[in-house]
Amino acid sequence: MPSYTAPTKDAQFVLHDVLKITESGIPGYDELEADFTSAILEEAGKISSEVLAPLNAVGDTEGCTLENGVVRTPTGFKAAFDQVKEGGWPGLDMPEEFGGQNMPYVIGTAVGEMFSASNQAFTMYQGLTHGAASAILAHGTDAQKAKWLPNMVSCEWTGTMNLTEPHCGTDLGLMRTKAEPQGDGSFKISGQKIFISAGEHDMAGNIVHLVLAKITGAPEGIKGVSLFIVPKFMVDDDGNMGERNSVSCGKIEEKMGIHGNSTCVMNYDEATGYLLGEEHKGMRAMFTMMNEARLGVGMQGLAQAEVAYQNALEYAKDRLQGRDVTGVKNPDGPADPLIVHPDIRRSLMDQKSFAEGARAFILWGATMIDRAHRGKDQDADGLISLLTPVIKGFLTDQGYDMTVKAQQVYGGHGYIEEWGMSQFTRDARIAQIYEGANGVQALDLVGRKLAQDGGKHVMAFFDLVKTTIGELKGQNEAFDQDFIEPLKAASKDLQAAGMYFMQNGMKDPNNALSGSNDFMHMFGHVCLGLMWAKMAHAAQSALDGGTSDKDFFETKIATGRYYMARQLPATALHLTRIETGAETVMALDAANF
Amino acid sequence: MPSYTAPTKDAQFVLHDVLKITESGIPGYDELEADFTSAILEEAGKISSEVLAPLNAVGDTEGCTLENGVVRTPTGFKAAFDQVKEGGWPGLDMPEEFGGQNMPYVIGTAVGEMFSASNQAFTMYQGLTHGAASAILAHGTDAQKAKWLPNMVSCEWTGTMNLTEPHCGTDLGLMRTKAEPQGDGSFKISGQKIFISAGEHDMAGNIVHLVLAKITGAPEGIKGVSLFIVPKFMVDDDGNMGERNSVSCGKIEEKMGIHGNSTCVMNYDEATGYLLGEEHKGMRAMFTMMNEARLGVGMQGLAQAEVAYQNALEYAKDRLQGRDVTGVKNPDGPADPLIVHPDIRRSLMDQKSFAEGARAFILWGATMIDRAHRGKDQDADGLISLLTPVIKGFLTDQGYDMTVKAQQVYGGHGYIEEWGMSQFTRDARIAQIYEGANGVQALDLVGRKLAQDGGKHVMAFFDLVKTTIGELKGQNEAFDQDFIEPLKAASKDLQAAGMYFMQNGMKDPNNALSGSNDFMHMFGHVCLGLMWAKMAHAAQSALDGGTSDKDFFETKIATGRYYMARQLPATALHLTRIETGAETVMALDAANF
């Protein structure tokens, strides 16, 4: 049975030693002293390890069941959900006026990693609610906010996001769900939505569905889509629960993973709904919290990689198999532990250097969201908008690969469900798909974000790398050689790829789009390289300052050196591929495949 | 529901246009005219598509059940197994004297890909039997062969391989299963074996277990291990079935995939067994067919990649989503098919170029096994021994990644079990683990095979690449540029890596072993690059000769160009990693991870 220990110390290191959040000038951050954030993270870590992690396998094994329209969640989920609610966790970064604790998003993200790592399927119930509440917060009328938010912030009621239909996923312009105005401000919503996470379940008094649909007579395509609030139970203006709305779960999907979350086919049969935001601007409303939602999914990639790594490490230390070729390490035992073997080390170092780099990247991204939202900083908004597809696509692709590596450490036992390593890979797999499949993230990055505002944000990113290099370099010779030089080289590769797109994308956009996946990954590597340079620098500063925690900071530098030496050079391969353009990618007629 | 079409035409191309098997001089190959092999492959393709493929999802959903010691296989498995037996498929490449058809191994491999692709879990029942029969063939006495082989060749009786115990997988020296001599030539075998594929089931009259165990008083470690035949039902010297032996299935493992195969915990409780081969030389006996067995597993990596690709391609052609950025391709439809999008193409080309390259590699490897066994060719034996870990490790790692890519093409539907794409990834996953986990393959390659016979075989490989380049180059300018130059560069990278190991492995073997995984992968790429150069050359020759099948051969060249441009350059990244040596890999104390 796998276990989970929250990486509180590492998150604290990133928040305080690396990002120096209290000095960042972001509104609300001055309160985030190390003792304070530590208390929150410790508490979140405790509930993650003690309450959520033990239910992870239960959720996987039992799954959710649908009987007579009622969805039953796995044993123990409801009690744990109550405990999470009592702790006030769902409203951690929600406004106080609706019952939240008004913490910055960066704290919600650090806590979110722990919840997700310990039980992704469980945590999605509150995650979806958070997303739906954010949409109402951003686009609802005052009356709508007052009516729906307090119960959603507390997770008394949960929320959902209804986009996909059987024939349309990415291309939402093909949507068929209809909304007919009733003349009283309400609409009758009819249609079928699929892949609705937490669509129906037994843990909340009500479920607030946010549904994309087309109002009768709306323009064709994506420009005719509006967003609606469609509750499971009607609620009157005094907040009293009324009769059941005509929305129902038609089926629970059998999925590869996240079995503990009920993924529903939802049928809307003239269900009563209320417009959220403006008519025909549903996509815009839905996309307002896209950066947050996608950062949250990227975080899931990190989270599964982290918990899988922890368990792979444990196994590698415990399992005795073979002998160290350079000399016996465990002479009193029948064999040495797996961790003596270089190829096991390589795998563990891949995982460790990814997880720690990704954590810094995610938390840095979260500070940008806070800077944009709380500080109304347009530049931060532009930068996080650029980095969002990288965070989502790169961290979930890599995160998945890391869970596969962790599983591999277990040999045959990794394939047996009882040992729990398979669940990490199966659960991690969804993050590459939902909230915009990673191919769409790459397309968003290269087809839209690069050129956004005249390329201003990507220029700002390169400036930032350059400035950071200028600030960090010269700490000592080894640091420059191990961190600054590789970061420079990788950043140069990334710039060369951008240049290639500019020069060749004009004559044929496919020259850029054929390299989109490679570009997203090389961008991710540069970001992690940047994070590692900052982390190593902070660690060396602590060592130079005579820290009492030498092992931690030395390990941090050694882990960073591994990343820079073994992972970051992938940018060169990505550049090589990108520079071959569209020709070999598009050479075949579809019929000749 | 996914489907499968056997790649008969492509296999024929490899066998006849590329490998030119009838001209190869390998004993038995002169009969393998194109019409003849085509007839066999067509027939195998038919049973694969029509009988085995439809049972693939059934096996996954139902799995195997254990009740009162009896294991029930999924609905339809027994009938299909009977059909496979009636067709004589299990004995295809087995000697005629035991009821086989005496076909070369290369034909068994081409057929094996089809069977595995259509239903891996099902095909393992006969695959394990084949392995066990091969061991008896190689090491049994005449009496043992006569007693066991005829029924195993026909699959009336199936076979198993029992190596792993709960505390020992790779490190079989830790084995605890005991064999006590009874004075009459038989032994009493006691112990527990785990992960025994096809360990118990309802499709055969008897099960012949091959079991590794230590004879009382045997030397410590791996040198004290012997191999035993332990039947489920006793068989007397006249071939009459007797009473049940004291071997039983204690449990069926819940696995990530291959649910249709019963993976058993097997308990031996003073079960009667017979020594196979010499005392204390069980490992040697087991390893005799290791090249074959591992090539067979590498082939599973290809097989799952192929079937997943076929279904991803189908979906990419059918599913309408978004528009081609260079101009609408399906003006009468609501959207263009997925296949117009460059990133979908990239994914499909990755898959296609891998599968076709891997098929050539596997079949080439199979000809080496035939050359070694049928032609008693020591050089071929040495070369395939070198390439075996590459075939197993590279093709299963890459094969798995390809199934993940294929699944990704389906977006959300890829995550839903009903669509079948998840099963391909879950089934493919095991091939990276069993028959020696891929880390062990890499270790075998770098730690043993490279230096074997004074490095003779790796030198022979480089000579072969060089000779092949000499033979192929100059076909035309484009060919040299697209195929010869990249192959030269990749081969140079591989040689540089080998050189690095030689120069640095002496002072610290970890300098070599830290790069073992990268070396295995770069070696695999060079092999596929070599195969693509040969295939493209053959295709161009056909075109130059005025073939009537222009599309096929042009597509072949275009697919190869993709591989050379986009995949083969990975060798440079692997070399970069290798040349960083052990330092960053081994830097941390185990306690500091």
Side-chain angles (χ1 to χ4, degrees), chain A residues 546-561:
Chain A
T547 174
S548 60
D549 201 0
K550 240 176 120 215
D551 276 357
F552 177 82
F553 293 108
E554 283 178 355
T555 297
K556 187 61 72 179
I557 293 170
T559 307
R561 289 179 63 240

Side-chain angles (χ1 to χ4, degrees), chain A residues 254-307:
Chain A
E254 293 291 334
K255 309 183 298 293
M256 183 179 183
I258 52 166
H259 295 156
N261 199 276
S262 58
T263 305
C264 301
V265 173
M266 297 302 295
N267 295 318
Y268 294 85
D269 185 17
E270 303 204 332
T272 301
Y274 310 97
L275 187 67
L276 178 61
E278 293 177 55
E279 268 190 13
H280 314 324
K281 295 195 173 155
M283 288 308 292
R284 193 189 294 177
M286 201 55 123
F287 272 85
T288 310
M289 39 302 149
M290 205 48 103
N291 289 343
E292 267 186 55
R294 290 183 170 175
L295 188 135
V297 174
M299 182 261 283
Q300 292 176 341
L302 154 64
Q304 293 306 305
E306 168 69 30
V307 65

Side-chain angles (χ1 to χ4, degrees), chain A residues 36-54:
Chain A
F36 178 67
T37 60
S38 168
I40 296 173
L41 297 182
E42 288 290 346
E43 208 50 46
K46 212 171 140 193
I47 195 167
S48 297
S49 302
E50 295 173 10
V51 179
L52 307 189

Side-chain angles (χ1 to χ4, degrees), chain B residues 46-364:
Chain B
K46 212 171 141 191
I47 194 167
S48 297
S49 302
E50 295 173 9
V51 179
L52 307 190
L55 290 175
N56 197 39
V58 176
D60 187 54
T61 312
E62 288 187 18
C64 296
T65 50
L66 171 67
E67 213 176 316
N68 300 325
V70 177
V71 172
R72 211 176 302 280
T73 52
T75 309
F77 268 42
K78 173 107 176 62
F81 201 64
D82 288 343
Q83 215 170 325
V84 168
K85 276 164 27 184
E86 276 158 31
W89 295 106
L92 190 66
D93 56 3
M94 282 289 175
E96 278 174 323
E97 72 173 299
F98 301 113
Q101 300 189 46
N102 204 31
M103 287 286 127
Y105 183 66
V106 72
I107 300 300
T109 302
V111 168
E113 185 204 323
M114 296 173 184
F115 279 36
S116 268
S118 59
N119 199 327
Q120 180 173 330
F122 176 90
T123 302
M124 287 171 66
Y125 291 96
Q126 69 182 85
L128 268 299
T129 310
H130 192 282
S134 298
I136 295 173
L137 199 57
H139 300 282
T141 62
D142 287 346
Q144 285 174 329
K145 290 183 200 176
K147 183 169 181 173
W148 304 109
L149 286 182
N151 279 315
M152 291 177 78
V153 165
S154 66
C155 267
E156 281 308 310
W157 301 347
T158 61
T160 71
M161 312 286 259
N162 292 240
L163 290 81
T164 308
E165 298 180 9
H167 61 288
C168 76
T170 299
D171 190 352
L172 289 168
L174 304 175
M175 187 172 294
R176 292 182 193 146
T177 298
K178 292 253 171 301
E180 215 163 320
Q182 299 300 299
D184 62 351
S186 76
F187 292 77
K188 292 285 181 207
I189 313 288
S190 299
Q192 188 177 64
K193 295 286 182 178
I194 63 170
F195 305 157
I196 308 309
S197 302
E200 176 58 43
H201 61 87
D202 57 2
M203 303 202 297
N206 203 356
I207 300 178
V208 182
H209 302 288
L210 297 196
V211 183
L212 287 177
K214 285 184 171 172
I215 297 171
T216 324
E220 283 291 297
I222 200 71
K223 287 179 180 149
V225 169
S226 305
L227 185 59
F228 297 89
I229 298 174
V230 185
K232 174 179 171 183
F233 290 103
M234 303 306 295
V235 178
D236 72 16
D237 289 342
D238 299 325
N240 301 311
M241 300 263 288
E243 61 184 9
R244 181 83 187 242
N245 201 355
S246 47
V247 43
S248 60
C249 170
K251 183 185 172 188
I252 295 187
E253 303 281 7
E254 294 291 333
K255 308 183 298 294
M256 184 179 181
I258 52 166
H259 295 156
N261 199 276
S262 59
T263 305
C264 301
V265 173
M266 296 302 295
N267 295 318
Y268 294 86
D269 184 17
E270 302 204 333
T272 300
Y274 310 96
L275 188 67
L276 179 61
E278 292 176 57
E279 269 190 12
H280 314 323
K281 296 198 172 152
M283 288 308 293
R284 194 190 291 176
M286 201 55 124
F287 273 85
T288 311
M289 43 298 153
M290 205 48 102
N291 289 342
E292 267 188 54
R294 290 184 169 175
L295 189 135
V297 174
M299 181 261 282
Q300 292 176 341
L302 155 63
Q304 291 306 304
E306 168 69 31
V307 66
Y309 163 68
Q310 287 186 12
N311 287 281
L313 174 60
E314 213 50 46
Y315 191 79
K317 286 177 173 175
D318 284 354
R319 174 85 170 174
L320 305 180
Q321 209 80 179
R323 290 294 188 187
D324 187 335
V325 292
T326 64
V328 170
K329 289 288 182 301
N330 178 31
D332 300 335
D336 289 340
L338 283 182
I339 200 169
V340 304
H341 302 299
D343 191 58
I344 295 287
R345 290 256 175 171
R346 180 216 28 108
S347 171
L348 292 173
M349 291 300 289
D350 281 349
Q351 298 168 53
K352 180 177 170 64
S353 65
F354 167 76
E356 294 176 16
R359 181 169 300 116
F361 188 23
I362 285 275
L363 292 175
W364 178 47

Side-chain angles (χ1 to χ4, degrees), chain A residues 335-384:
Chain A
D336 289 340
L338 284 181
I339 199 167
V340 305
H341 302 299
D343 191 58
I344 295 287
R345 289 256 175 174
R346 179 216 30 107
S347 170
L348 292 173
M349 291 300 288
D350 281 349
Q351 296 168 53
K352 180 176 169 65
S353 65
F354 167 76
E356 295 177 15
R359 181 168 301 115
F361 187 22
I362 284 275
L363 292 176
W364 178 47
T367 65
M368 278 181 247
I369 287 181
D370 280 328
R371 203 182 283 278
H373 291 182
R374 295 179 165 242
K376 309 285 174 215
D377 182 329
Q378 295 285 329
D379 291 338
D381 193 57
L383 189 55
I384 190 60

Side-chain angles (χ1 to χ4, degrees), chain A residues 11-61:
Chain A
Q12 285 282 97
F13 167 72
V14 173
L15 293 175
H16 300 288
D17 295 28
V18 183
L19 299 175
K20 300 188 197 319
I21 51 171
T22 56
E23 304 162 25
S24 67
I26 301 171
Y29 273 39
D30 48 342
E31 292 171 18
L32 302 178
E33 294 293 346
D35 285 355
F36 178 67
T37 60
S38 168
I40 296 173
L41 297 182
E42 288 290 346
E43 208 50 46
K46 212 171 140 193
I47 195 167
S48 297
S49 302
E50 295 173 10
V51 179
L52 307 189
L55 290 175
N56 198 39
V58 176
D60 188 53
T61 312

